[in-house]
Amino acid sequence: MTAPHLLIAGAGIGGLTAALSLARRGIASTVIEKRTGFGETGAGLQISPNSGRVLESLDLALPLKRVGVSSHGLIVRRWRDGRPIVEMPADPAQSPTPFRLLSRIDLHTLLLDAARAMPNIRFIVGRGVEEIRQDEAGVTATLAGQNGGESLRGLGLIGADGLWSRLRGLTGDTAGPEFTGYEAWRTMVPATAIKSPAGEKPRVTLHLGPRRHAVHYPVSSGRQINLVVLRQAPETREGWSREGDRATLTEHLATGSPALRRLACAAPGWQVWSLFDRKPAAMAQGRIALLGDAAHPVLPFLAQGASLAIEDAGVLARLLAEHLAREGAAGVPAAMAAYAAARARRAARVQAASRENGRNFHLGWPLSIGRDLVLRRLGPEGMRRRYDWLYDWHDAA
């Protein structure tokens, strides 16, 4: 590996984007993944223009077009009967960076293929970071595993190891995630199982109900429909996911619209995630930086978890390249500190906006009447302006 060289803990979307962003700037990295294989779990995700610009800067626009779906907007419906509350149409052809709808597995595979093609990205699989030590010249990471005790050396360490981040704990933040009282039921429905209205364009559909909501949209070049149902949970379960009981969800959807119930009935099976929240961490400490869910997990009510991690990766790579060019290896701590300063306020704002959406989505009668009235009065243009601060983001460089 050629210098300069960084270590990255975690080979998810954020970690791979960081590795690619560094590699394109001539900075080598070793990506450490504790799982024994590369296979991103999960269902669908939305890549909005703010993060799409980062991926396009890595020459990924064509691969994204092959596996994704360009959204034609959003429609919000009432839970019980499916009547529209507000629509926000969009024309992907009029946007330099469209709003993309993807399978998480497709995006992860795309990033992994791109990273494997880079000669200055190395992977270590099936080993986690057990200990870290900083000094004036760099970071030493001791790996766990069958042959425990192996150490790696780099100019800095990027923690991209998710909500249950071990790196976050090793930097001194031992407060764990907190259960929100909700769980997400996720599935992929074959598009052929549902007859769509003639001429319907691909878009995101949101169903709002008391203490629950559902969202669905096409992914995988339109071959599948990603469906997520959020509901209050009787208990919390740690871990990534578990199999869901169809009868439980059928009962939960009994008050939903006929269209939503038909879509759910076509699902081949369900995976369930308990939803956890966590306060933002200090995003940098010396030569160590955290990104994505390791630093600031985002609840799914704004569809920005992956996008915020991608933004983080792009900004961090740029600042590392700038400081290394000016100051050499001694500039890494300043780059990490500049990254934390650049990202903390935006990350906190996105987290807060997502939590607010969660409260608004799940209002019961009569508060839901006021919410629906506000949405109708905002209309398409008002909805767009409401999120200009989010989707119009560009890196400062």
Side-chain angles (χ1 to χ4, degrees):
M1 303 291 288
T2 58
H5 175 218
L6 275 290
L7 305 178
I8 301 173
I13 289 170
L16 291 176
T17 304
L20 282 167
S21 298
L22 290 169
R24 292 301 184 98
R25 292 171 168 87
I27 303 172
S29 64
T30 295
V31 181
I32 307 156
E33 174 52 58
K34 66 181 180 181
R35 293 173 295 181
T36 55
F38 295 109
E40 190 74 0
T41 56
L45 49 79
Q46 302 174 43
I47 296 298
S48 45
N50 45 306
S51 57
R53 295 182 192 99
V54 177
L55 297 178
E56 288 175 354
S57 74
L58 300 175
D59 295 331
L60 297 176
L62 286 179
L64 286 168
K65 185 175 182 179
R66 285 196 294 268
V67 301
V69 176
S70 294
S71 176
H72 285 256
L74 167 73
I75 181 168
V76 183
R77 297 184 181 276
R78 298 198 307 186
W79 179 270
R80 66 180 182 273
D81 56 16
R83 288 181 59 185
I85 299 171
V86 66
E87 295 187 48
M88 189 171 68
D91 184 356
Q94 300 300 315
S95 174
T97 303
F99 203 114
R100 297 178 172 99
L101 312 173
L102 296 107
S103 159
R104 181 177 289 271
I105 294 172
D106 286 343
L107 178 58
H108 187 261
T109 300
L110 180 157
L111 291 169
L112 184 59
D113 288 346
R116 282 173 166 162
M118 300 297 293
N120 52 355
I121 299 176
R122 173 192 176 199
F123 288 95
I124 294 179
V125 182
R127 309 291 299 279
V129 176
E130 188 69 22
E131 297 179 0
I132 49 177
R133 179 172 54 83
Q134 299 190 62
D135 54 48
E136 292 184 357
V139 174
T140 300
T142 303
L143 306 186
Q146 186 176 0
N147 302 312
E150 179 186 355
S151 294
L152 295 176
R153 185 74 175 165
L155 296 181
L157 175 62
I158 299 171
D161 52 342
L163 172 69
W164 302 94
S165 170
R166 178 167 178 78
L167 263 292
R168 180 166 171 163
L170 292 176
T171 58
D173 188 344
T174 57
E178 298 178 356
F179 179 53
T180 63
Y182 281 87
E183 62 187 14
W185 291 61
R186 304 175 188 265
T187 189
M188 288 286 190
V189 180
T192 53
I194 296 294
K195 185 176 181 180
S196 300
E200 184 177 59
K201 295 179 179 179
R203 60 182 173 179
V204 177
T205 301
L206 184 63
H207 303 256
L208 302 185
R211 299 180 300 280
R212 68 199 70 190
H213 82 274
V215 62
H216 55 84
Y217 48 84
V219 296
S220 302
S221 301
R223 295 188 303 274
Q224 299 185 96
I225 300 171
N226 174 60
L227 171 61
V228 184
V229 179
L230 273 288
R231 71 175 200 129
Q232 281 191 320
E235 60 183 0
T236 173
R237 298 188 189 181
E238 294 186 8
W240 183 240
S241 68
R242 62 189 184 277
E243 188 173 348
D245 176 55
R246 182 184 295 275
T248 299
L249 192 64
T250 300
E251 180 181 355
H252 176 72
L253 291 172
T255 58
S257 69
L260 179 58
R261 295 200 307 271
R262 284 194 298 270
L263 180 60
C265 285
W270 296 87
Q271 291 292 310
V272 187
W273 281 256
S274 294
L275 296 186
F276 292 83
D277 202 357
R278 200 171 190 178
K279 295 178 180 178
M283 295 182 68
Q285 183 188 101
R287 291 176 175 270
I288 299 170
L290 301 176
L291 65 76
D293 282 354
H296 45 65
V298 182
L299 292 171
F301 310 126
L302 197 59
Q304 285 294 303
S307 283
L308 207 58
I310 291 167
E311 284 185 21
D312 285 347
V315 173
L316 179 54
R318 173 180 62 81
L319 289 168
L320 280 165
E322 291 173 358
H323 281 267
L324 284 167
R326 289 197 304 264
E327 306 153 47
V332 171
M336 300 301 202
Y339 157 74
R343 297 298 297 164
R345 181 177 296 181
R346 178 167 172 83
R349 185 177 183 184
V350 172
Q351 281 186 308
S354 181
R355 295 184 189 114
E356 181 183 14
N357 268 5
R359 292 188 292 269
N360 291 336
F361 285 1
H362 301 149
L363 291 175
W365 187 89
L367 294 178
S368 61
I369 296 175
R371 175 203 62 205
D372 296 353
L373 180 61
V374 169
L375 290 175
R376 290 190 184 100
R377 286 182 173 176
L378 276 173
E381 290 306 316
M383 292 281 285
R384 289 191 188 92
R385 289 193 298 271
R386 185 180 182 186
Y387 291 112
D388 281 350
W389 66 272
L390 180 61
Y391 301 140
D392 289 351
W393 177 88
H394 292 72
D395 191 7

